[in-house]
């Protein structure tokens, strides 16, 4: 199967070239590997503690990517704009207007 995938990828690349950013892919793989390894060490006791710890791991994922300098500057600008609009809408909906 690996050979079939490699040959198919090679042939497809001749017709439509896709330039992968392997450093970004490596950062994703590194962060996912770290989070998975960390999840193996979570306590298996109370269900609420386990769920809370796993949620915290999931929430930490974008911050780990940020620490690894994964995001391009324009992606950070888009995220800030999105969060600003979201926060603005959230504030208006909660004000009772």
């Amino acid at each position: 199967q690996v050979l079939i995938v490699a040959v198919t990828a090679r042939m497809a690349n001749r017709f439509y070239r896709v330039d992968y950013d392997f450093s970004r892919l490596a950062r994703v793989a590194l962060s996912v590997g770290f989070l998975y390894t960390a999840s193996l060490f979570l306590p298996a006791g109370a269900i609420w503690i386990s769920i809370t710890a796993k949620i915290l791991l999931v929430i930490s994922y974008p911050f780990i990517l940020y620490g690894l300098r994964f995001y391009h500057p324009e992606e950070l600008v888009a995220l800030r704009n999105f969060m600003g609009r979201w926060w603005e809408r959230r504030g208006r909906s909660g004000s009772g207007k």
Side-chain angles (χ1 to χ4, degrees):
Q1 280 185 333
V2 173
L3 180 63
I4 292 171
V5 169
V7 169
T8 302
R10 177 85 173 166
M11 295 299 290
N13 212 12
R14 295 171 90 191
F15 295 105
Y16 186 79
R17 179 143 179 86
V18 176
D19 292 322
Y20 293 103
D21 191 346
F22 288 107
S23 68
R24 290 185 85 190
L25 290 173
R27 291 173 192 171
V28 167
L30 179 69
S31 60
V32 168
F34 171 76
L35 288 173
Y36 175 71
T37 303
S39 74
L40 296 176
F41 293 101
L42 292 177
I47 187 76
W48 295 111
I49 294 172
S50 178
I51 289 174
T52 303
K54 288 178 183 180
I55 288 172
L56 289 174
L57 283 178
V58 169
I59 290 171
S60 71
Y61 181 63
F63 297 103
I64 292 171
L65 288 177
Y66 181 79
L68 292 174
R69 299 181 188 268
F70 173 80
Y71 302 109
H72 292 297
E74 57 271 10
E75 292 171 332
L76 293 173
V77 168
L79 180 61
R80 283 187 199 109
N81 290 338
F82 171 77
M83 291 304 292
R85 287 191 308 269
W86 177 80
W87 192 259
E88 190 176 292
R89 280 191 216 132
R90 185 175 178 262
R92 268 193 259 144
S93 66
S95 65
K97 292 182 182 178

